[in-house]
Amino acid sequence: MNKIYHLSTCDTCKRIIKQLELPDNFTFQDIKSEPITVKQLEEMKKLSGSYESLFSRRAKLYKERNLAEEDLAEEDYKGFILEHYTFLKRPVIITGGKIFIGNSKKTVEAAAAAIAGS
């Protein structure tokens, strides 16, 4: 499966998608207009190892709700990601059975190498 979970209004996501020059066999899912399902999130967790790795601490709601003060467990991260799309670290790229989460230069380069090799 080749898929990218992104936010179409996010300039960083747009830049990364353009930079990666994704092949036609990629499926794009705008997580705002098409929310992620429990099944999709569980699949992402299986590839990444944890819900926490998929969770964005940069989300505005994270600060507004003072979640930094909370002792969050895996089920909390899962619940927040399913509750509101901004809690998913973006973009999430799945290709060749591997997952690439977020927009760090290292992650984007690793995703580009994986896509080129597939």
Side-chain angles (χ1 to χ4, degrees), residues 16 20 22 26 91-95 98-102 104-118:
I16 290 169
L20 290 175
L22 298 170
F26 260 81
V92 174
I93 303 162
I94 299 174
T95 186
K98 294 182 180 164
I99 190 166
F100 303 92
I101 306 160
S104 76
K105 186 177 181 187
K106 185 177 161 190
T107 299
V108 175
E109 287 172 354
I115 291 164
S118 64

Side-chain angles (χ1 to χ4, degrees), residues 1-2 6 8 14 16-17 34-36 38 44 47 49 58 63 66 72 75 79-80 87-88 98:
M1 174 178 72
N2 293 318
H6 67 104
S8 63
K14 288 183 209 174
I16 290 169
I17 289 168
E34 187 185 341
I36 54 174
V38 172
M44 286 186 251
L47 291 170
R58 291 182 169 176
K63 292 173 183 82
N66 292 320
L72 301 176
E75 285 303 309
F80 284 125
F87 285 119
L88 181 68
K98 294 182 180 164

Side-chain angles (χ1 to χ4, degrees), residues 1 6 8 12-13 18 22 25 36 50 53-54 69 73 79 82 88 98 103 115:
M1 174 178 72
H6 67 104
S8 63
T12 302
C13 286
K18 186 177 180 183
L22 298 170
N25 66 348
I36 54 174
S50 72
S53 65
L54 296 159
E69 311 297 316
L82 290 170
L88 181 68
K98 294 182 180 164
N103 56 30
I115 291 164

Side-chain angles (χ1 to χ4, degrees), residues 31-91:
I31 59 173
K32 185 174 183 180
S33 61
E34 187 185 341
I36 54 174
T37 65
V38 172
K39 184 179 176 189
Q40 288 171 327
L41 184 58
E42 287 172 352
E43 182 180 317
M44 286 186 251
K45 188 242 185 194
K46 198 162 101 178
L47 291 170
S48 69
S50 72
Y51 293 114
E52 184 177 5
S53 65
L54 296 159
F55 185 81
S56 173
R57 288 182 169 77
R58 291 182 169 176
K60 196 170 147 186
L61 288 174
Y62 181 76
K63 292 173 183 82
E64 287 175 5
R65 294 183 184 181
N66 292 320
L67 295 178
E69 311 297 316
E70 304 285 325
D71 187 20
L72 301 176
E74 277 292 288
E75 285 303 309
D76 297 322
Y77 293 119
K78 178 182 180 181
F80 284 125
I81 293 169
L82 290 170
E83 175 191 325
H84 202 274
Y85 65 88
T86 59
F87 285 119
L88 181 68
K89 195 182 285 185
R90 305 175 302 274

